[in-house]
Amino acid sequence: MTPDKILVIVVGLVAIVFVYWFFMNKKDKKAVAVSGSIDIKVEGGYNPEVISVPVGKTTTLNFTRTDPTGCLEEVVFGDFNIRKILPLNQKVFIQITPNKIGEFTYSCGMNMYHGKIIVE
Ligand SMILES: [Cu+2]
């Protein structure tokens, strides 16, 4: 076997492992079922990142930002027309009452970090 053939095989194997790892990782983000209210920590992203809420009911999301990154200062719920500033180490309550089933994402003001709300 020539070195370039070995290289092709190695690169191929690495790519396969990466694809597996990528999709396994995605599956790992299981939705946290919420009824009523939930605390969401804002630090390097949103934690929990994926939540599920019941349709037609009001759910309160309590955001607490402990990350000084200015990027996370604002949270935007495009589908719900909500845009809020999250002061450091302060609880900010955001209420949503989704009236249709589906998946809705929210993000920081620059659309870099994302969270997901599954309405079911
Ligand atoms: Cu941002």
Side-chain angles (χ1 to χ4, degrees), residues 6-73:
I6 293 172
L7 184 72
V8 167
I9 290 168
V10 169
V11 169
L13 285 176
V14 168
I16 289 167
V17 169
F18 176 76
V19 167
Y20 264 93
W21 170 83
F22 186 78
F23 283 103
M24 296 300 271
N25 241 22
K26 283 220 147 169
K27 263 190 207 156
D28 269 349
K29 280 173 188 162
K30 272 206 137 188
V32 175
V34 179
S35 63
S37 77
I38 184 167
D39 290 324
I40 297 177
K41 232 170 110 181
V42 183
E43 204 192 345
Y46 303 103
N47 186 21
E49 194 182 322
V50 185
I51 60 171
S52 65
V53 306
V55 67
K57 293 208 171 117
T58 299
T59 301
T60 307
L61 312 174
N62 314 319
F63 284 92
T64 308
R65 178 167 72 101
T66 53
D67 189 332
T69 315
C71 177
L72 287 160
E73 193 179 15

Side-chain angles (χ1 to χ4, degrees), residues 1-7:
M1 239 192 285
T2 55
D4 58 325
K5 272 188 188 159
I6 293 172
L7 184 72

Side-chain angles (χ1 to χ4, degrees), residues 93-113:
F93 302 94
I94 294 179
Q95 286 194 321
I96 54 164
T97 311
N99 53 19
K100 61 174 187 220
I101 288 170
E103 292 190 2
F104 305 91
T105 52
Y106 60 91
S107 66
C108 69
M110 285 153 261
N111 203 18
M112 286 158 66
Y113 292 100

